[in-house]
Amino acid sequence: ALGGGYGGLWGFGLNFAVPIRWMPWSTDKMSVLVRFDPGITLGFWAFGVAVGIPIPVAANFGYRIPLDSKTMALTVGGGLEVDTAIALGSGFASGVVVPVLAGPAAELRVTRNITIPLDVKLGPTFTSFSIGPFGTLVWFGFKFLAGVTYTF
């Protein structure tokens, strides 16, 4: 699959990942999806720029609502993510970041190949370093992802 969109965890970033998906359970209406997206990230934070090696793992459940007799459908649900990353920045932004996030998700399947995902997650973020003037190793994490994907 090839995808693009905006996603952020305390800033704007460019993420180049290899999407690995596994669906351990699925029926006509319900499904569980496990996601692993290793890659490399270039993050632009309020306090600087950092290169990171993301090791995100997530599990989402969804309920499928057919919108036509062919392939168009809306899937709504939610999930849990542990978006671990190794930050290779300078100064304040070097170390390990472990956000533990939960929240709702939705995906609109427009055609067999095109989907529009929307994902919102929030929760505690643990780090091995303090963030700028905050001086804390734990802070509130927020992730918003919206985009368009095309599956070959």
Side-chain angles (χ1 to χ4, degrees):
L2 175 66
Y6 169 78
L9 180 64
W10 271 82
F12 175 75
L14 297 174
N15 188 31
F16 302 95
V18 177
I20 299 170
R21 307 286 188 262
W22 175 51
M23 194 171 299
W25 181 76
S26 178
T27 67
D28 289 343
K29 296 282 186 185
M30 304 270 304
S31 63
V32 173
L33 177 73
V34 176
R35 174 180 60 79
F36 178 59
D37 296 331
I40 189 162
T41 297
L42 181 60
F44 304 97
W45 296 20
F47 305 108
V49 177
V51 174
I53 301 169
I55 311 165
V57 177
N60 286 305
F61 68 91
Y63 181 78
R64 185 176 179 274
I65 303 165
L67 298 177
D68 69 6
S69 61
K70 296 181 183 180
T71 58
M72 193 169 199
L74 175 66
T75 302
V76 294
L80 176 68
E81 295 188 18
V82 180
D83 285 345
T84 303
I86 300 169
L88 306 172
S90 60
F92 76 92
S94 289
V96 178
V97 180
V98 183
V100 180
L101 309 173
E107 180 180 86
L108 176 64
R109 178 167 297 281
V110 180
T111 68
R112 188 177 76 78
N113 302 89
I114 298 173
T115 59
I116 301 171
L118 176 64
D119 194 2
V120 178
K121 300 285 189 278
L122 42 98
T125 298
F126 305 94
T127 68
S128 63
F129 54 91
S130 61
I131 299 296
F134 299 123
T136 181
L137 298 177
V138 180
W139 76 89
F140 179 80
F142 175 80
K143 177 181 177 182
F144 172 81
L145 174 70
V148 176
T149 63
Y150 183 85
T151 303
F152 295 99

